[in-house]
Amino acid sequence: MSPEKIISALRGLDSCAVSDALDTLGLPGAVTALKPMWPVGTVVAGRVRTVTAAPKATAGPATHIATPLVAIAEPDDVVVIDNHGRTDVSCWGGLLAEAAVRRGVAGVIVDGACRDVQESEALKLPVFACTAVPVSARGRIVQAAMDERIQIAGVSVAPRDFVLADVNGVVFVAAGEAERVVGLARRIAEREARMAEAVRSGRDVQEVMHDSQFPAVTVEPR
């Protein structure tokens, strides 16, 4: 599958189905520390572009977090910022959101804090983070690297991996595993849809959730 087809397929799923597929395959990817900063009603999916933040160590000019990346971002990119889970200072705000929307960025994920949530919501730019704080990054943290492998809440994430985020949380999918994960997640979602229909038709939920009635989805041999 092309990257565009994988992104389209992910948008037809949810984070729960993809997380279950990762579990079945024994792969990491789901993170539990991040949540939508405003009531995002859609599934966000795209290719990962990474930024690493670090404390400002010296006086004088420094690279403002994410500005070089946002300046070259492409449609369906998702900006993923590793601020090591810090929640005492923001590393994403309203001006970056304005620029990101102009570039067609699909969403923003921050392992740390953001601010100007109302501006991101007005722009309809989905932002997922640990929390929101009013504290500026200026003079506190800077960009240390861009488009390098990072750790987000304990999950290793590489540039051009895939990510899906929704009301339930965030899941990362390694580029080399994406087609297999998407195929399995689709089968899992189809099984759960059949189970839900059975419950709606009046069948006992204990019966429906027994694997003898709806066998668990298993991994097909490669």
Side-chain angles (χ1 to χ4, degrees):
M1 295 172 71
S2 68
E4 293 76 18
K5 287 185 177 179
I6 289 170
I7 292 170
S8 178
L10 287 171
R11 287 177 179 151
L13 295 164
D14 62 27
S15 61
C16 298
V18 175
S19 177
D20 289 353
L22 291 167
D23 279 348
T24 302
L25 292 166
L27 298 172
V31 298
T32 58
L34 308 178
K35 58 187 178 182
M37 291 292 98
W38 56 273
V40 177
T42 59
V43 172
V44 178
R47 301 297 298 271
V48 169
R49 302 295 300 274
T50 68
V51 172
T52 304
K56 191 174 189 299
T58 60
T63 302
H64 193 286
I65 293 170
T67 53
L69 177 57
V70 170
I72 62 169
E74 299 175 351
D76 292 334
D77 282 349
V78 176
V79 177
V80 181
I81 303 176
D82 179 11
N83 196 24
H84 318 289
R86 284 187 62 178
T87 57
D88 60 330
V89 57
S90 167
C91 56
W92 183 269
L95 291 176
L96 283 169
E98 291 277 2
V101 167
R102 291 180 64 85
R103 298 294 303 181
V105 167
V108 179
I109 295 169
V110 179
D111 188 9
C114 67
R115 72 178 196 167
D116 300 325
V117 173
Q118 75 283 3
E119 294 178 38
S120 292
E121 182 174 10
L123 291 164
K124 294 182 169 52
L125 178 68
V127 177
F128 296 76
C130 298
T131 191
V133 297
V135 182
S136 171
R138 291 187 181 277
R140 296 182 174 92
I141 52 176
V142 296
Q143 178 169 307
M146 180 178 91
D147 277 340
E148 295 184 1
R149 184 175 289 276
I150 59 175
Q151 291 278 327
I152 297 294
V155 174
S156 179
V157 180
R160 298 301 179 184
D161 281 350
F162 294 91
V163 62
L164 182 155
D166 61 16
V167 66
N168 293 297
V170 177
V171 286
F172 294 98
V173 180
E177 299 286 355
E179 189 167 349
R180 193 160 64 126
V181 171
V182 164
L184 188 59
R186 280 173 163 168
R187 292 168 55 210
I188 289 169
E190 289 165 0
R191 173 181 180 261
E192 293 207 351
R194 293 195 302 272
M195 294 170 73
E197 182 57 35
V199 171
R200 285 192 290 268
S201 71
R203 290 180 62 180
D204 188 321
V205 69
Q206 296 178 96
E207 175 189 351
V208 169
M209 294 190 72
H210 198 285
D211 284 349
S212 65
Q213 299 299 308
F214 293 89
V217 175
T218 57
V219 180
E220 295 178 344
R222 285 185 166 182

